[in-house]
Amino acid sequence: MPGMVLFGRRWAIASDDLVFPGVFELFLRVLWWIGILALYLQHRGKLDCASGALLGSYLIVLIVLLALIICTVSAIVAVSMRGTICNPGPRKSMSKLLYLRLALFVPEVVWASLGAAWIADGVQCDRTVGSGIIATVVVSWIVIASTLVTVVVVFDPLGGKLAPYSSAGPSHLDSPESSQFLNGLKTAATSVWETRIKFLCCCVGKDDHTRVAFSSTAELFSTYFSDTDLVPSDIAAGLALLHQQQDHIRNNQEPDQVISHSPESSQDDDLDAELESCHHYMQFAAAAYGWPLYIYRNPFTGLCRIGGDCCRNRTTEYDLVGGDQLNCHFGSILQTTGLQYRDFIHVSFHDRVYELPFLVALDHRKESVVVAVRGTMSLQDILTDLSAESETLNLECEVQDCSAHKGISQAARYVYHRLITDGILSQAFSIAPEYRLVVVGHSLGAGAAALLAIMLRNQYPQVRCYAFSPPRGLLSKSLYEYSKSFIVSLVLGKDVIPRLSVTSLEDLKRRLLRVIAHCNKPKYKILLRGCWYELFGGSPDDLLTELEGGDLTQPLLGEQSLLAHGSPSYSFSGESPLESPTKYPPLYPPGRIIHLQEEGASGRFPCYAAAQYSVRWSHESEFSRILIGPKMLTDHMPDILMRALDRVVSDRAACVSCAAQGGSSLDAA
């Protein structure tokens, strides 16, 4: 629901968000009240010390004050349980209760200060009484500090601008003031987001690329969040409902509806060959992450294996540049790829905004020159990811629309200039002129590798690219079709990144609003059931929503109430600000897509060692929506992807071996 309005401003908390914190405080206060009451009743005869009468009065007032607080918090919890996310009417008394609760903090602070002063003067009464007073004062100040931290967390810098409009509802959708207000709100929101990002990334630097990335990221966030009036708990509840709804729909699908795009027979023929190549080149994509990923994959033996390389000095002997712990990085690369020192042409761990680390090596097994680009691993890389506008590439190819993700295309252009201008590729092919060029990467590195392959194709027509878990919002439709002939992407399960784009995020927001508006249960029940469902599973058939005629295509009035003051820029049937055809056009993943999907009912917790996978070519439209699930993040991890590839390749090799043995037995018979 819309955030609460208190003291003339909107806060990033709703009136139905106080159930869980209220129950926790209630539990703490009741125990505290019982303890103080027991202390007073058992030791009131031992208060004959100095200031004993004052101490007795202190305990009596504290008992009464705690009783009042317990009653008030109980009322807050009871009211917060009423209604639904889109129906805050039963909770209209919440603001008065909160004003009362905040008023009770004044005597609580005064009493905590008196207790602290009494402790500072020294405890001269019974030891048990003194210990009880000290514990009371400590708990009091912990509660007060926690309250202040909560106020800071839920403070909305734009709350003063939003408050006058929070109660206006959708009735002023067409008012002339609405558009002017929203434009001003977006400008203010952009400024707030830019300040937040600069604070979080204060150690990144202040060069031109960084400033551009700050502005791009702030504009993306402000545009995405400025047209809805949701608090964080609303989003959590919506994601829980979406996951259950998604599983409910999948369980009721007919078998022939699950795969809506059948691969062509010509694609099936080379699936095994491409899968084997993916298995081989994934080692290079993982090696580009350097020693952190290697230690993560080998927590007990990794440090021992690369420790000797960390202590050696080879920077003068090999082309190893940028970053810290370079020799540790190099040692982990050698262990991951199995290559020799002499096989590496260039290794760079230089890392800035729009400038990614990469390595160039000679792969004698596949007779290829491999360029591996590192994925997201730093704040600089995150800023590159979030520069999500579209920009036109200057390519020498017969493609009409050559637009791509701005941040990733800038990173690919940096690597391209290093490879060509610095003569790195020329040096590699002077050593092995008969080798072919292969570009690989994972995550952000996969997107940069795909764009790099497109840029290099004019000079190296035989270039191949293997993109592991690439972002969806990467290429225009024309470039996507063009890339199919030389780029292969690999996606594992419900990995969120190959489904992530500005367009799919906007679709997710629409679905969140819709499922929240259709929900007929209070938020605390949704969150409790959602946690249970994520941890232990269950049947999604008893979905906590009531659908009117099963129609989810038309917005309800509740959906309009979740828009930021009836935003005219957002339409459930039309375009939203993030779907501007100039700045945020629909973008697509690179090349043909191999999808590894876990067979059978997936567990609530990742357990990839015993998993069985199906492998098939998939159409890009199958990754147009973000899927909610416990593995949507873990499926993206490079070590998980490597384990899945190992399992798939070994299983398929075993099947081929069994088939060959069966054929031999038939021939012998």
Side-chain angles (χ1 to χ4, degrees):
M1 64 160 288
M4 283 190 298
V5 176
L6 295 170
F7 303 107
R9 68 180 302 117
R10 178 195 181 272
W11 298 80
I13 188 172
S15 59
D16 54 357
D17 284 339
L18 303 175
V19 176
F20 299 117
V23 168
F24 177 75
E25 183 181 359
L26 200 58
F27 174 75
L28 183 66
R29 296 280 185 180
V30 169
L31 289 181
W32 185 4
W33 184 80
I34 293 174
I36 295 298
L37 182 62
L39 179 70
Y40 176 75
L41 293 176
Q42 292 182 7
H43 296 84
R44 57 184 173 180
K46 301 178 181 179
L47 298 179
D48 53 354
C49 56
S51 302
L54 182 61
L55 181 58
S57 301
Y58 176 86
L59 290 175
I60 293 173
V61 173
L62 182 60
I63 290 170
V64 174
L65 180 61
L66 284 174
L68 290 174
I69 292 174
I70 288 171
C71 293
T72 306
V73 173
S74 299
I76 289 174
V77 171
V79 171
S80 187
M81 288 180 172
R82 299 174 184 172
T84 65
I85 295 177
C86 291
N87 180 25
R91 301 188 296 272
K92 60 184 178 181
S93 60
M94 180 61 75
S95 58
K96 296 177 182 178
L97 289 172
L98 285 176
Y99 285 135
L100 176 61
R101 175 66 189 90
L102 292 172
L104 290 173
F105 267 108
V106 176
E108 187 173 12
V109 170
V110 172
W111 237 237
S113 301
L114 287 176
W118 183 80
I119 292 173
D121 289 340
V123 181
Q124 299 176 357
C125 290
D126 183 78
R127 184 178 231 178
T128 304
V129 176
S131 300
I133 298 299
I134 292 174
T136 295
V137 172
V138 170
V139 173
S140 296
W141 284 111
I142 290 176
V143 171
I144 293 169
S146 301
T147 303
L148 293 176
V149 171
T150 302
V151 170
V152 172
V153 170
V154 302
F155 178 79
D156 186 352
L158 300 175
K161 296 179 181 290
L162 295 173
Y165 293 85
S166 293
S167 59
S171 59
H172 72 290
L173 279 169
D174 300 321
S175 63
E177 294 85 4
S178 182
S179 179
Q180 181 179 358
F181 163 72
L182 284 167
N183 288 333
L185 178 63
K186 182 182 176 182
T187 302
T190 303
S191 177
V192 168
W193 276 108
E194 188 164 354
T195 302
R196 290 170 175 170
I197 295 166
K198 286 180 178 178
F199 175 76
L200 292 173
C201 305
C202 57
C203 58
V204 169
K206 297 182 179 179
D207 56 274
D208 291 340
H209 282 170
T210 304
R211 283 191 287 270
V212 170
F214 284 159
S215 299
S216 298
T217 305
E219 187 166 358
L220 174 66
F221 283 176
S222 64
T223 305
Y224 187 75
F225 291 109
S226 65
D227 61 349
T228 56
D229 199 357
L230 296 174
V231 297
S233 62
D234 293 337
I235 299 174
L239 291 175
L241 288 170
L242 276 180
H243 185 203
Q244 296 170 57
Q245 183 189 70
Q246 167 191 298
D247 289 352
H248 173 77
I249 293 173
R250 188 189 66 231
N251 291 347
N252 289 284
Q253 267 184 326
E254 296 296 332
D256 58 348
Q257 291 179 310
V258 177
I259 302 175
S260 55
H261 297 273
S262 298
E264 300 174 2
S265 58
S266 59
Q267 289 183 324
D268 276 331
D269 295 338
D270 63 344
L271 178 59
D272 284 332
E274 295 292 7
L275 194 60
E276 196 280 328
S277 295
C278 287
H279 180 249
H280 176 77
Y281 288 115
M282 182 60 201
Q283 307 297 322
F284 291 88
Y289 282 98
W291 67 264
L293 178 60
Y294 184 79
I295 296 295
Y296 176 76
R297 290 179 59 212
N298 304 276
F300 301 110
T301 61
L303 191 59
C304 296
R305 292 178 181 176
I306 66 173
D309 291 290
C310 292
C311 300
R312 296 172 188 168
N313 183 16
R314 291 195 176 91
T315 53
T316 58
E317 185 179 353
Y318 299 97
D319 198 0
L320 186 65
V321 299
D324 301 320
Q325 293 92 34
L326 295 179
N327 291 304
C328 292
H329 284 309
F330 201 12
S332 67
I333 291 171
L334 294 173
Q335 292 288 338
T336 303
T337 60
L339 300 182
Q340 302 297 318
Y341 295 105
R342 62 179 179 273
D343 297 327
F344 288 88
I345 306 299
H346 184 85
V347 178
S348 170
F349 278 90
H350 169 81
D351 188 14
R352 297 177 68 180
V353 177
Y354 303 153
E355 298 176 5
L356 298 178
F358 67 97
L359 62 88
V360 180
L362 300 178
D363 178 17
H364 303 296
R365 177 182 164 188
K366 291 284 188 178
E367 295 188 345
S368 58
V369 174
V370 180
V371 179
V373 187
R374 196 189 75 181
T376 303
M377 216 177 143
S378 66
L379 288 175
Q380 293 91 328
D381 299 336
I382 293 173
L383 290 173
T384 301
D385 284 317
L386 294 175
S387 298
E389 304 101 310
S390 179
E391 73 170 13
T392 302
L393 304 179
N394 184 19
L395 300 175
E396 298 178 3
C397 62
E398 297 179 358
V399 178
Q400 292 183 346
D401 180 14
C402 292
S403 58
H405 183 289
K406 175 185 173 181
I408 300 178
S409 64
Q410 295 271 5
R413 191 174 294 115
Y414 161 77
V415 178
Y416 173 84
H417 285 305
R418 291 290 312 277
L419 294 176
I420 301 302
T421 306
D422 294 355
I424 296 174
L425 283 185
S426 298
Q427 179 185 354
F429 282 105
S430 67
I431 299 173
E434 72 282 4
Y435 283 14
R436 67 170 182 170
L437 178 62
V438 176
V439 188
V440 303
H442 172 265
S443 188
L444 168 62
L451 283 169
L452 179 61
I454 293 173
M455 295 175 183
L456 289 168
R457 196 162 190 244
N458 191 50
Q459 294 119 300
Y460 300 92
Q462 302 302 317
V463 65
R464 296 284 296 174
C465 175
Y466 293 94
F468 302 98
S469 306
R472 174 174 177 82
L474 184 66
L475 305 175
S476 65
K477 185 70 172 179
S478 301
L479 276 179
Y480 158 68
E481 296 291 345
Y482 172 73
S483 68
K484 284 184 177 180
S485 61
F486 59 97
I487 297 178
V488 172
S489 294
L490 186 75
V491 178
L492 174 62
K494 293 182 179 180
D495 187 350
V496 65
I497 300 302
R499 296 173 169 86
L500 189 63
S501 68
V502 173
T503 307
S504 64
L505 279 174
E506 189 64 21
D507 170 73
L508 178 64
K509 180 167 69 175
R510 277 202 186 94
R511 290 190 286 146
L512 276 174
L513 292 175
R514 188 159 295 128
V515 77
I516 288 173
H518 282 82
C519 183
N520 66 342
K521 299 293 182 182
K523 188 190 297 181
Y524 78 95
K525 288 187 177 180
I526 300 171
L527 294 174
L528 284 174
R529 173 175 167 77
C531 291
W532 181 272
Y533 188 78
E534 295 298 332
L535 293 173
F536 306 108
S539 173
D541 295 331
D542 52 345
L543 189 64
L544 295 174
T545 57
E546 285 185 356
L547 308 181
E548 297 181 357
D551 182 13
L552 286 176
T553 60
Q554 298 298 322
L556 298 178
L557 180 61
E559 286 175 274
Q560 296 290 351
S561 71
L562 294 173
L563 300 178
H565 333 295
S567 169
S569 62
Y570 187 97
S571 168
F572 286 92
S573 58
E575 289 183 344
S576 76
L578 281 183
E579 290 178 323
S580 165
T582 54
K583 195 160 193 175
Y584 300 109
L587 296 176
Y588 301 85
R592 297 181 297 161
I593 303 174
I594 298 176
H595 191 197
L596 306 184
Q597 200 160 13
E598 189 174 347
E599 293 181 330
S602 62
R604 314 313 295 176
F605 303 97
C607 182
Y608 296 89
Q612 299 291 326
Y613 297 91
S614 61
V615 186
R616 61 184 179 87
W617 292 107
S618 296
H619 192 269
E620 60 82 17
S621 60
E622 297 179 46
F623 304 93
S624 60
R625 276 195 164 189
I626 295 173
L627 300 180
I628 310 301
K631 295 184 180 180
M632 61 186 292
L633 298 178
T634 55
D635 279 348
H636 185 69
M637 298 298 291
D639 60 311
I640 301 298
L641 182 56
M642 292 175 76
R643 269 184 254 163
L645 269 174
D646 290 341
R647 185 59 183 258
V648 168
V649 171
S650 63
D651 287 350
R652 292 176 79 89
C655 289
V656 171
S657 176
C658 290
Q661 290 178 5
S664 300
S665 299
L666 289 174
D667 292 340

PDB file of all heavy atoms in Angstrom, residues 167-178:
ATOM      1  N   SER A 167      -2.946  11.052  -0.393  1.00  0.00           N
ATOM      2  CA  SER A 167      -4.358  10.747  -0.180  1.00  0.00           C
ATOM      3  C   SER A 167      -5.231  11.156  -1.349  1.00  0.00           C
ATOM      4  O   SER A 167      -6.452  11.031  -1.281  1.00  0.00           O
ATOM      5  CB  SER A 167      -4.847  11.450   1.087  1.00  0.00           C
ATOM      6  OG  SER A 167      -4.669  12.843   0.970  1.00  0.00           O
ATOM      7  N   ALA A 168      -4.622  11.622  -2.430  1.00  0.00           N
ATOM      8  CA  ALA A 168      -5.415  12.111  -3.562  1.00  0.00           C
ATOM      9  C   ALA A 168      -6.013  10.981  -4.366  1.00  0.00           C
ATOM     10  O   ALA A 168      -7.035  11.128  -5.003  1.00  0.00           O
ATOM     11  CB  ALA A 168      -4.551  13.000  -4.455  1.00  0.00           C
ATOM     12  N   GLY A 169      -5.351   9.790  -4.372  1.00  0.00           N
ATOM     13  CA  GLY A 169      -5.880   8.633  -5.083  1.00  0.00           C
ATOM     14  C   GLY A 169      -5.818   8.819  -6.571  1.00  0.00           C
ATOM     15  O   GLY A 169      -5.209   9.739  -7.108  1.00  0.00           O
ATOM     16  N   PRO A 170      -6.495   7.947  -7.350  1.00  0.00           N
ATOM     17  CA  PRO A 170      -6.446   7.973  -8.788  1.00  0.00           C
ATOM     18  C   PRO A 170      -7.380   8.982  -9.411  1.00  0.00           C
ATOM     19  O   PRO A 170      -7.482   9.067 -10.622  1.00  0.00           O
ATOM     20  CB  PRO A 170      -6.863   6.545  -9.174  1.00  0.00           C
ATOM     21  CG  PRO A 170      -7.759   6.111  -8.063  1.00  0.00           C
ATOM     22  CD  PRO A 170      -7.229   6.766  -6.839  1.00  0.00           C
ATOM     23  N   SER A 171      -8.100   9.786  -8.596  1.00  0.00           N
ATOM     24  CA  SER A 171      -9.107  10.675  -9.147  1.00  0.00           C
ATOM     25  C   SER A 171      -8.509  11.827  -9.935  1.00  0.00           C
ATOM     26  O   SER A 171      -9.197  12.456 -10.732  1.00  0.00           O
ATOM     27  CB  SER A 171      -9.972  11.237  -8.013  1.00  0.00           C
ATOM     28  OG  SER A 171      -9.165  11.934  -7.075  1.00  0.00           O
ATOM     29  N   HIS A 172      -7.245  12.136  -9.709  1.00  0.00           N
ATOM     30  CA  HIS A 172      -6.653  13.274 -10.410  1.00  0.00           C
ATOM     31  C   HIS A 172      -5.720  12.811 -11.528  1.00  0.00           C
ATOM     32  O   HIS A 172      -4.770  13.495 -11.870  1.00  0.00           O
ATOM     33  CB  HIS A 172      -5.896  14.158  -9.406  1.00  0.00           C
ATOM     34  CG  HIS A 172      -4.626  13.553  -8.894  1.00  0.00           C
ATOM     35  ND1 HIS A 172      -4.626  12.474  -8.057  1.00  0.00           N
ATOM     36  CD2 HIS A 172      -3.327  13.875  -9.108  1.00  0.00           C
ATOM     37  CE1 HIS A 172      -3.379  12.158  -7.767  1.00  0.00           C
ATOM     38  NE2 HIS A 172      -2.567  12.998  -8.398  1.00  0.00           N
ATOM     39  N   LEU A 173      -6.018  11.657 -12.148  1.00  0.00           N
ATOM     40  CA  LEU A 173      -5.168  11.116 -13.216  1.00  0.00           C
ATOM     41  C   LEU A 173      -4.977  12.112 -14.347  1.00  0.00           C
ATOM     42  O   LEU A 173      -3.902  12.207 -14.925  1.00  0.00           O
ATOM     43  CB  LEU A 173      -5.791   9.827 -13.762  1.00  0.00           C
ATOM     44  CG  LEU A 173      -5.546   8.553 -12.963  1.00  0.00           C
ATOM     45  CD1 LEU A 173      -6.436   7.439 -13.488  1.00  0.00           C
ATOM     46  CD2 LEU A 173      -4.098   8.151 -13.020  1.00  0.00           C
ATOM     47  N   ASP A 174      -6.049  12.838 -14.675  1.00  0.00           N
ATOM     48  CA  ASP A 174      -5.995  13.727 -15.824  1.00  0.00           C
ATOM     49  C   ASP A 174      -5.833  15.183 -15.430  1.00  0.00           C
ATOM     50  O   ASP A 174      -6.049  16.070 -16.250  1.00  0.00           O
ATOM     51  CB  ASP A 174      -7.282  13.560 -16.658  1.00  0.00           C
ATOM     52  CG  ASP A 174      -7.451  12.133 -17.152  1.00  0.00           C
ATOM     53  OD1 ASP A 174      -6.432  11.533 -17.526  1.00  0.00           O
ATOM     54  OD2 ASP A 174      -8.597  11.630 -17.150  1.00  0.00           O
ATOM     55  N   SER A 175      -5.496  15.436 -14.183  1.00  0.00           N
ATOM     56  CA  SER A 175      -5.363  16.820 -13.755  1.00  0.00           C
ATOM     57  C   SER A 175      -4.125  17.439 -14.376  1.00  0.00           C
ATOM     58  O   SER A 175      -3.085  16.782 -14.527  1.00  0.00           O
ATOM     59  CB  SER A 175      -5.276  16.886 -12.233  1.00  0.00           C
ATOM     60  OG  SER A 175      -4.121  16.207 -11.787  1.00  0.00           O
ATOM     61  N   PRO A 176      -4.180  18.709 -14.748  1.00  0.00           N
ATOM     62  CA  PRO A 176      -3.026  19.345 -15.392  1.00  0.00           C
ATOM     63  C   PRO A 176      -1.828  19.466 -14.465  1.00  0.00           C
ATOM     64  O   PRO A 176      -0.695  19.541 -14.911  1.00  0.00           O
ATOM     65  CB  PRO A 176      -3.571  20.730 -15.795  1.00  0.00           C
ATOM     66  CG  PRO A 176      -4.791  20.939 -14.962  1.00  0.00           C
ATOM     67  CD  PRO A 176      -5.346  19.597 -14.646  1.00  0.00           C
ATOM     68  N   GLU A 177      -2.099  19.500 -13.131  1.00  0.00           N
ATOM     69  CA  GLU A 177      -0.973  19.624 -12.199  1.00  0.00           C
ATOM     70  C   GLU A 177      -0.184  18.331 -12.060  1.00  0.00           C
ATOM     71  O   GLU A 177       0.958  18.342 -11.620  1.00  0.00           O
ATOM     72  CB  GLU A 177      -1.494  20.039 -10.806  1.00  0.00           C
ATOM     73  CG  GLU A 177      -2.114  21.415 -10.747  1.00  0.00           C
ATOM     74  CD  GLU A 177      -3.584  21.396 -11.163  1.00  0.00           C
ATOM     75  OE1 GLU A 177      -4.097  20.275 -11.419  1.00  0.00           O
ATOM     76  OE2 GLU A 177      -4.190  22.472 -11.247  1.00  0.00           O
ATOM     77  N   SER A 178      -0.815  17.202 -12.443  1.00  0.00           N
ATOM     78  CA  SER A 178      -0.187  15.905 -12.207  1.00  0.00           C
ATOM     79  C   SER A 178       1.105  15.753 -12.991  1.00  0.00           C
ATOM     80  O   SER A 178       2.119  15.305 -12.464  1.00  0.00           O
ATOM     81  CB  SER A 178      -1.159  14.788 -12.571  1.00  0.00           C
ATOM     82  OG  SER A 178      -0.589  13.538 -12.317  1.00  0.00           O
TER      83      SER A 178
END
